[in-house]
C-alpha cells in the first residue's frame, strides 16, 4: 500500500514569497514588526551557537553535541506561540527552544561538556531537562498534564502555576516508534489532557529514514488516538507559529490533546559522533539546503520593509559576541565531582552503584599510572 501523502501547511515558500491562508494568515497579521524581527533573531543566534558548539566539540572541549541546524524555524515558530508558563518536555536537540526560554549558552552546554547532568533549573524556565532516553519524556509530560487536570478539578492550582497551562511533549520521528509514545497518547486522549505533541520529523533517526519507521505520515497517528493532528512545513517559521498558536489555543480552551508533525530536516550530523555521509546522499542535502529556513525568512522579512540591512548586521554581531562569550564560559566550567555523581543516584548506598564507582575509579587510576610512566620515561 502506498503511504497516503498529506500536504504540510506552508505560508512561506522556499523563495521567500508569502501565500494567503484563510485559517492561518490572521495569526501572522497579528504579529508586530518587532515580533517578526525577534523570530529571525532567535533563529540566527541559535544557528551561530550551534556552529560554535560543533567546533568546541571538535576541539575536545565538549563530550558531544547534537546539532539542530535546519530545525530553527520549527522550534522558534512553535515556542514563540506558547506562553512562558507552559511546560515544555524537550528531547536533546531543542536548543532554539531552550534559548528562547532564557536558558544561557553556558547552561545549555553544561551537559554536553559532561560537567553536570543538566545546567538549568526546569522550574525557572518551565523547560524540563534534556531527555536522552528516547520518548521517556512523553510519559513525564502526560503525567504533568494529568497533574494539571487534577489541580483544576480540585480547585487547588499551586501558586506558581498558571490556570491555563498546557504541556508540550517534543519528540523526534524515530522516537515515535517507542511504546512510551503510544501509552502517553492513550492517556492524553482518554483523559483529554492539555497536551501538544510536537514531532520534529527531521527525516532521520540517526541512520534510519522516517519511511522505515512509519509507512504513513506521522501526523495520521493522531487520528488513531482520537485527536487532531496538523502537518506543517517546519522550515517555515510563520506556518510553524500559526499552527502552534491555533492548536495551543484550542488545548487551552479545554479541547484535549493535539499533535503537530513538523516536516523539517537535520542538516548536520545526528551528533558529532556520527558521519551522515555514510547513510544519506549529497543530492538530498542539496535539496534541503534550498529550503533553508533562515534564508527563506530573511528574504521575506527584508521584502516587507520591517527589517533592513543594519538589523541583520546587528544580529550577526550579537551572535558573534554570544559565541565568543560562550567559548570562554564553557572552558571555565568546573569538572564534575565523580563522588557526587554516584552518591546522588539513590538516597541510600546501593551495591550496584558502589560497584560501578569502584570500577570507574580503578579505570581512572589507569590513566594516572600511564601519565606517571610517560613522565618517568621522559626524565630518564
Ligand atoms: C530508548 C532508546 N533507544 C535508543 C536510543 C539510541 N538513540 C539515540 S538518538 C536515536 C535516534 C532518534 O531519532 P529521532 O527520534 O528521529 O530524533 P532526532 O535525533 O533525529 O532528533 C537513537 C536510536 C536511545 N537514546 N534511547
Amino acid at each position: 500500500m502506498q503511504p497516503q501523502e498529506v500536504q504540510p501547511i506552508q505560508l512561506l515558500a522556499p523563495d521567500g514569497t508569502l501565500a494567503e491562508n484563510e485559517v492561518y494568515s490572521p495569526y501572522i497579521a497579528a504579529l508586530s514588526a518587532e515580533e517578526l524581527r525577534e523570530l529571525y533573531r532567535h533563529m540566527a543566534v541559535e544557528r551561530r551557537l550551534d556552529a560554535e558548539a560543533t567546533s568546541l566539540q571538535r576541539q575536545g572541549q565538549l563530550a558531544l553535541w547534537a546539532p539542530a541546524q535546519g530545525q530553527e524555524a520549527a522550534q522558534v515558530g512553535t515556542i514563540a506561540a506558547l506562553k512562558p508558563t507552559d511546560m515544555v518536555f524537550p528531547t536533546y536537540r531543542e536548543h532554539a527552544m531552550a534559548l528562547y526560554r532564557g536558558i544561557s549558552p553556558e547552561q545549555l552546554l553544561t551537559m554536553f561538556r559532561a560537567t553536570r547532568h543538566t545546567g538549568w533549573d526546569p522550574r525557572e524556565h518551565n523547560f524540563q531537562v534534556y531527555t536522552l532516553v528516547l520518548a521517556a519524556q512523553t510519559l513525564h509530560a502526560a503525567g504533568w498534564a494529568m497533574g494539571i487536570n487534577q489541580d483544576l478539578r480540585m480547585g487547588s492550582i499551586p501558586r506558581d502555576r498558571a490556570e491555563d497551562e498546557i504541556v508540550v511533549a517534543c519528540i523526534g520521528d524515530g522516537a515515535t516508534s517507542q511504546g512510551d509514545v503510544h501509552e502517553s497518547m492513550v492517556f492524553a486522549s482518554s483523559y483529554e489532557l492539555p497536551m501538544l505533541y510536537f514531532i520534529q520529523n527531521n527525516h532521520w533517526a540517526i541512520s534510519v529514514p522516517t519511511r522505515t519507521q512509519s509507512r504513513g505520515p506521522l501526523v495520521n497517528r493522531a487520528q488513531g488516538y482520537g485527536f487532531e493532528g496538523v502537518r506543517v512545513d517546519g522550515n517555515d517559521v510563520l506556518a510553524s507559529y500559526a499552527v502552534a498558536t491555533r492548536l495551543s489555543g484550542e488545548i487551552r480552551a479545554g479541547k484535549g490533546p493535539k499533535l503537530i508533525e513538523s516536516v523539517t530536516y537535520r542538516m548536520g550530523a545526528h551528533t558529532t559522533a556520527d558521519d551522515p555521509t555514510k547513510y544519506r546522499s549529497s543530492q538530498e542535502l542539496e535539496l534541503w539546503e534550498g529550503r533553508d529556513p533562515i534564508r527563506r525568512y530573511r528574504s521575506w522579512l527584508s521584502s516587507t520593509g520591517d527589517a533592513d540591512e543594519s538589523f541583520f548586521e546587528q544580529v550577526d554581531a550579537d551572535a558573534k559576541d554570544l559565541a565568543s562569550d560562550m567559548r570562554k564560559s564553557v572552558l571555565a566550567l568546573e569538572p564534575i565531582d565523580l563522588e557526587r555523581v554516584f552518591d546522588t543516584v539513590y538516597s541510600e548506598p546501593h551495591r550496584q552503584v558502589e560497584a560501578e564507582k569502584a570500577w570507574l575509579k580503578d579505570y581512572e587510576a589507569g590513566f594516572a599510572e600511564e601519565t606517571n610512566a610517560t613522565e618517568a620515561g621522559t626524565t630518564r
Side-chain angles (χ1 to χ4, degrees):
M1 201 175 84
Q2 285 299 311
Q4 185 204 337
E5 254 319 305
V6 179
Q7 273 310 311
I9 303 292
Q10 182 188 78
L11 299 177
L12 207 51
D15 66 2
T17 49
L18 190 68
E20 266 302 306
N21 180 298
E22 209 183 319
V23 177
Y24 293 107
S25 295
Y27 294 104
I28 304 307
L31 289 173
S32 68
E34 174 66 18
E35 286 167 329
L36 291 170
R37 282 194 296 270
E38 280 309 291
L39 293 178
Y40 178 84
R41 176 190 296 282
H42 281 286
M43 291 198 288
V45 165
E46 197 285 328
R47 184 166 286 191
R48 183 71 175 86
L49 172 141
D50 218 290
E52 198 61 38
T54 304
S55 303
L56 282 167
Q57 198 285 329
R58 293 284 181 250
Q59 291 158 21
Q61 299 298 345
L62 297 180
L64 188 77
W65 179 245
Q69 191 195 343
Q71 299 183 217
E72 299 89 350
Q75 295 189 13
V76 169
T78 304
I79 193 117
L82 302 176
K83 293 191 179 183
T85 44
D86 294 332
M87 183 60 88
V88 179
F89 287 78
T91 69
Y92 41 76
R93 205 187 293 283
E94 271 67 82
H95 315 317
M97 296 178 105
L99 293 176
Y100 195 97
R101 279 293 178 88
I103 290 164
S104 72
E106 180 189 322
Q107 289 174 317
L108 191 62
L109 295 190
T110 300
M111 182 191 86
F112 291 98
R113 190 162 161 88
T115 56
R116 290 286 179 278
H117 292 308
T118 185
W120 65 89
D121 178 350
R123 284 167 300 190
E124 270 176 34
H125 305 276
N126 288 326
F127 197 85
Q128 291 291 325
V129 300
Y130 274 180
T131 315
L132 285 113
V133 179
L134 294 180
Q137 76 279 10
T138 59
L139 291 175
H140 308 159
W144 190 277
M146 287 185 85
I148 294 175
N149 271 9
Q150 184 78 347
D151 287 340
L152 288 171
R153 209 172 23 251
M154 307 287 287
S156 59
I157 311 281
R159 258 184 299 172
D160 65 337
R161 312 292 336 156
E163 287 238 359
D164 63 351
E165 175 186 351
I166 70 165
V167 178
V168 180
C170 302
I171 184 163
D173 46 286
T176 58
S177 298
Q178 286 285 133
D180 289 7
V181 175
H182 172 68
E183 290 182 33
S184 174
M185 289 187 179
V186 167
F187 264 91
S189 184
S190 300
Y191 293 94
E192 297 191 302
L193 300 181
M195 280 187 76
L196 176 64
Y197 289 94
F198 174 47
I199 302 174
Q200 284 170 80
N201 177 356
N202 67 9
H203 284 78
W204 291 92
I206 311 185
S207 58
V208 180
T210 313
R211 64 181 174 274
T212 306
Q213 303 268 351
S214 181
R215 297 298 171 185
L218 291 167
V219 67
N220 289 352
R221 299 219 180 153
Q223 212 181 4
Y225 294 97
F227 52 87
E228 183 188 2
V230 176
R231 194 171 222 213
V232 63
D233 178 346
N235 285 15
D236 172 354
V237 70
L238 296 180
S240 298
Y241 173 81
V243 167
T245 306
R246 181 175 84 72
L247 293 189
S248 58
E250 298 215 341
I251 300 167
R252 238 179 272 290
K255 297 199 177 152
K258 307 272 175 189
L259 180 149
I260 293 175
E261 181 193 359
S262 178
V263 182
T264 179
Y265 194 77
R266 155 168 69 76
M267 303 295 287
H270 167 74
T271 67
T272 43
D274 81 317
D275 174 5
T277 61
K278 294 271 189 290
Y279 54 81
R280 67 183 190 192
S281 68
S282 52
Q283 289 92 321
E284 183 181 295
L285 192 62
E286 269 168 40
L287 177 76
W288 284 93
E289 270 165 357
R291 299 172 180 170
D292 187 283
I294 300 187
R295 199 172 339 110
R296 178 186 313 195
Y297 188 55
R298 180 176 175 148
S299 143
W300 175 75
L301 196 56
S302 316
S303 74
T304 62
D306 285 335
D308 56 15
E309 271 314 300
S310 69
F311 164 75
F312 294 115
E313 279 165 19
Q314 189 57 51
V315 171
D316 286 347
D318 292 348
K320 204 171 158 205
D321 288 348
L322 174 132
S324 121
D325 291 349
M326 178 175 123
R327 273 198 299 273
K328 285 186 212 114
S329 57
V330 164
L331 299 186
L333 283 170
E334 292 289 326
I336 198 159
D337 174 358
L338 279 182
E339 291 288 332
R340 198 165 169 273
V341 176
F342 288 97
D343 294 346
T344 50
V345 177
Y346 290 103
S347 55
E348 308 215 334
H350 189 288
R351 254 190 313 163
Q352 191 185 336
V353 175
E354 290 303 322
E356 286 176 8
K357 182 161 86 175
W359 179 89
L360 188 66
K361 279 190 162 176
D362 189 47
Y363 178 71
E364 298 262 308
F367 288 101
E369 277 163 23
E370 265 174 37
T371 315
N372 290 343
T374 319
E375 278 169 9
T378 40
T379 46
R380 231 180 293 148

